[in-house]
Structure formats: structure tokens, C-alpha cells
Amino acid sequence: MSANLERYTDRVEHYADRHPRALDVIVVLALMGCATFGSALTMPGAEPPDQDKAAVILMGVSCLALLRHREHPRTSLAVTAVCTVIAVGLGYLLTPLLLAPIMAALYWLATVSDRKTTRTWGVTATVALMLAATFSDSMDGLSLVLRVIGPFFWLLLPLAAGRMTQLRRAYLQSVQARAEHAERTREEEARLRVTEERMRIARELHDVVAHHLALANAQAGTAAHLALADPPQTKKILTDLTGTTSSALRELKATLGLLRQSDDPASPSLEPAPGLDCLPDLVTACATAGVTVTVTTEGAPRPLSPGVDLTAYRIVQEALTNVTKHAAAETAHVRLAYADSRLEITVSNDGPAAPSAAAVEQRKGFGVMGMRERAHSVGGELCAGPRPEGGFEVTTALPLQPSAPGAAETSGPAAPAAPAHPAQQVNPVDPVDSVDPVEGDKP
């Protein structure tokens, strides 16, 4: 029953929104008919007032005033109340039909006005009608209590109904506002996710393309330099160059395949992401570019999560790429130090004396920024800069298991724990967590 009533109410409100004046005219005509019929009612055995046309005129004026209730609700109520009080004073019986125009005026006032205005005007109109009923000759057969209680309850009903309608409209508006806000929030979140995904793809492609192209460029330059002086070495370098470009194509294909991968379980699986166990291949590639890389492990190697493993590998890869691209050095050193809960990685090279800070900033690209983003993404820290004795050094401290981004404990890398085993020259094979790629610059 309530569902049907609510459905009909919604239909009426929808029609009223589209044709407000037409609905007002229909309602006013209905109210005029009710008031005219109510003016003909009398108490049993009583005679109607002599002014039989006065009630029709008064009710007509009050109903016409209701046509302006949307623009002037208080004026409409005042005119309707005055006309009703005069009609009751002339001896017409105060019935719900005679009160129909003022009840409509009170309802419309309660739907558009605040509580204070509704209370003030509603109480004033109710008191006026109660006083008129008290002194009316048409209700001599009723007690004073009935004269007062009747108008009070009849006029209280439209005030309560109008207040409920106002609350319902406010509720519907708040629901609509929440829905619009949720829609805007979803759109903003979708745009944010798209932006983050674009940045992640850019970092991955940078790691894949920039590293291998830098090595290929160094290998090609070395081969051109030794073409006449050492043909066998040139041939070996060109063979390694083929392997470098093939590896770049494979990684690029794997990255693009990941972007195209669907949720279909029958789709072909992709190759696993690289980790520290791929360092031997990275060292070999750098050697063909003319840079000798040594890897030292301190402490007992610990298992790393896939994300941290990928992050550690990408940072080492980017740092060594910067050495081959920017550093006038023939050797580089990679140090892996395992502590209780962290892995410290240091990549350094021997080069000329450190340049000025202004020169370093001028020559910085996206590489250091990307390495730092990768480290922060798993809760680690990274520092990079020239060494006082010459060359460049990148130091990062990563948790063995990833933590929330930005959960770094200090602004610089954590100090390595005392090694469990003496330093030894090895190529580490360890899993580590993922991180953000970047393009770096080395002075």
C-alpha cells in the first residue's frame, strides 16, 4: 500500500514539475468546490446564514490567492486565513470542507519555509481560527472544548504533512548529491589509476629499452674503434651486440605482452620478471661494452619477495647503464649486503674527480628519479651522488619483504649489518621485490 502511494506521489510531483500552473489551477478549482459545498452545511436544526453568497465570494477570493502560493506563500496564507475567519464570523459552520483552502495554504507554506517561519505563521492562523470558532454563533450547540480542539487538529494535519514532504525532498536531494559525488569520485579514481598505470608502463619500457640501447651503443662504439686494430675482438663484440639487441627485443615483447594479456586462462603465460639471479647476464653485457663489473656479497643471502627482487635488479641495471653511458670509467663495483631485515645495494665506479654540485644537477635525468621511486615503492631508500675520491655511487636500502610506499625509516640508506661471512667475489642469485624503473644520469 505504501509503495503504491509513494509511486503515485512521485508521479504527481513529476507532473507538477513539468506543468506547475496547470496543477495549481486543478487544485484551486477542487478546493473552491469543497469550500462552496462546506459553506452550505449547518448544525442539525439550524438555519444557514442570510448571506448565502458571501461565503462563495470569500472562498473564491481565498482560492484565487492560492494561485500565487509558489511565489508568495505567506501572503496566500494570510489572505486565506482572513477570508476563512470572516466566513466563520458571519455564522458559517467551521467544517473541514470550509477549512480546505487554509489547510492547503498551510501545507504549501510548510513545504517551502523553514521551521521558524512555518511555526510563526501556522500558530497565528490556527489561533485566529480557534478564536473565530469560539465566538461563532453557528457552533452554539457544541461545548467550548470541541470548538477549540476541532480547528486545532484539522489545521495541525497540513503542517505535519508539509513538514514530512519537506524532509522527504531533502532526503531525496541528499541521495542524489551522494550519487553524483560517488560518480565524480569514481571518474577521478579511474583517471588516477590510468595516470599511475601510464607512469608504471613508462618506467618499465625505460628499463627495457634504455639499458639495452645504452649497451648496444657502447658495444658498437667499441667495435668501430677496434675494427682495424683487432678484427677478432671486433667480431666477438659484434656477436655480443646481436645478443644484446635480441635480449632487448625479448624483454620488450614480454612487457608489451603483459599489457595485452587478457583474463583468459588459456592465454599463453609470460616469462617471469628478472631478479638478482640475472646479474651474471648483466655483468657479461657490461663487459662487452668495455666496463668490467665485480659483484660482492656480504652476509647470508636471504629470499626476497618478487617485487623487491625486481626492484633490486632494476636499480642495479639502471646504475650500470649510467656507468656505460656517462662515466669515464672502465670498472664498476656492485656490493650486496644482507642484514637482518634489509638488503643494502651499492653500485660505484672509479672515475675522475667529482664535479661541482651544480654540474651534477644540470646533468641529472630521469634515471636517479626512477631508481628512487622504485626504492620508495617497496619501502626502501636511495641515495645517489659523486664520491669525494672520484666517480659516482648509488646506494639503496630495501626491505627483504615489501612495505607500504614511503615507509622509509630514515632519509638515507640503512647502515649494513656486520657481515656473517667474509666478503667474496660472486654473482648473487637471490629473489627481490618489485620497484619503479627510471632513467639515470651519471656525471
Side-chain angles (χ1 to χ4, degrees):
M1 181 68 179
S2 61
N4 294 334
L5 180 60
E6 185 175 354
R7 184 168 63 253
Y8 292 141
T9 303
D10 291 338
R11 290 179 181 178
V12 171
E13 290 183 355
H14 184 62
Y15 181 82
D17 293 337
R18 290 187 300 170
H19 310 285
R21 290 303 178 188
L23 183 64
D24 290 347
V25 171
I26 294 174
V27 172
V28 166
L29 290 177
L31 292 175
M32 188 175 296
C34 292
T36 303
F37 180 71
S39 62
L41 299 177
T42 60
M43 294 289 294
E47 295 292 334
D50 296 335
Q51 303 90 345
D52 45 341
K53 292 185 179 180
V56 177
I57 296 175
L58 291 173
M59 294 301 102
V61 172
S62 63
C63 290
L64 290 177
L66 292 178
L67 290 175
R68 307 296 296 176
H69 76 274
R70 297 182 184 274
E71 298 83 4
H72 308 286
R74 287 173 290 187
T75 302
S76 299
L77 175 62
V79 173
T80 305
V82 170
C83 291
T84 306
V85 169
I86 294 175
V88 174
L90 292 176
Y92 290 94
L93 182 63
L94 188 60
T95 63
L97 292 177
L98 192 68
L99 290 176
I102 190 173
M103 290 173 66
L106 286 172
Y107 171 80
W108 283 324
L109 177 70
T111 59
V112 299
S113 303
D114 56 83
R115 286 186 177 182
K116 182 178 180 181
T117 301
T118 302
R119 189 182 302 114
T120 301
W121 287 80
V123 169
T124 302
T126 302
V127 170
L129 264 297
M130 290 169 60
L131 292 176
T134 301
F135 297 101
S136 175
D137 296 337
S138 62
M139 304 179 71
D140 290 340
L142 298 177
S143 65
L144 181 61
V145 174
L146 293 178
R147 293 187 185 189
V148 173
I149 291 180
F152 174 77
F153 279 106
W154 282 113
L155 297 181
L156 184 63
L157 288 176
L159 291 175
R163 181 59 183 167
M164 291 178 61
T165 301
Q166 188 181 55
L167 292 176
R168 180 174 177 272
R169 290 176 181 175
Y171 170 74
L172 294 178
Q173 290 177 356
S174 66
V175 170
Q176 182 178 2
R178 286 197 298 270
E180 293 175 354
H181 179 266
E183 184 66 25
R184 288 195 302 270
T185 303
R186 281 194 296 269
E187 293 177 357
E188 294 173 358
E189 183 178 356
R191 285 194 296 267
L192 179 60
R193 289 181 177 178
V194 169
T195 302
E196 291 176 348
E197 184 64 13
R198 290 174 60 186
M199 294 179 64
R200 187 190 67 80
I201 294 171
R203 287 195 298 263
E204 289 296 334
L205 290 178
H206 168 267
D207 284 348
V208 171
V209 176
H211 168 69
H212 290 94
L213 288 184
L215 287 179
N217 180 70
Q219 290 169 338
T222 305
H225 180 70
L226 300 176
L228 298 178
D230 193 349
Q233 182 66 17
T234 301
K235 181 178 180 181
K236 181 180 181 301
I237 293 176
L238 292 177
T239 302
D240 294 336
L241 177 59
T242 303
T244 300
T245 54
S246 299
S247 178
L249 289 175
R250 285 195 303 271
E251 288 203 30
L252 185 59
K253 181 179 179 181
T255 302
L256 295 178
L258 178 63
L259 299 179
R260 294 171 179 170
Q261 188 181 28
S262 64
D263 296 333
D264 186 4
S267 60
S269 59
L270 302 174
E271 296 180 0
L276 290 182
D277 57 332
C278 298
L279 278 184
D281 297 334
L282 188 59
V283 170
T284 302
C286 291
T288 61
V291 178
T292 302
V293 180
T294 58
V295 181
T296 302
T297 301
E298 298 180 4
R302 308 286 183 83
L304 305 174
S305 65
V308 175
D309 197 16
L310 175 62
T311 297
Y313 175 80
R314 292 303 190 193
I315 291 176
V316 174
Q317 182 188 53
E318 180 62 31
L320 292 178
T321 300
N322 290 341
V323 173
T324 60
K325 289 170 59 178
H326 305 291
E330 297 181 354
T331 61
H333 310 282
V334 179
R335 173 177 167 271
L336 306 175
Y338 290 88
D340 292 337
S341 60
R342 298 177 77 82
L343 167 64
E344 181 178 323
I345 302 174
T346 303
V347 182
S348 60
N349 66 85
D350 299 326
S356 63
V360 172
E361 286 298 324
Q362 190 175 12
R363 294 163 62 181
K364 278 188 177 181
F366 295 104
V368 175
M369 183 193 308
M371 288 188 288
R372 184 171 290 111
E373 288 178 359
R374 280 193 175 275
H376 288 173
S377 70
V378 293
E381 309 103 14
L382 184 139
C383 290
R387 302 192 305 170
E389 63 272 21
F392 199 86
E393 183 176 84
V394 176
T395 303
T396 181
L398 305 176
L400 298 183
Q401 298 296 325
S403 58
E409 299 172 355
T410 60
S411 58
H421 300 288
Q424 48 184 336
Q425 199 92 345
V426 293
N427 291 331
V429 181
D430 262 27
V432 187
D433 250 39
S434 80
V435 182
D436 313 3
V438 190
E439 172 190 21
D441 278 40
K442 277 271 193 175

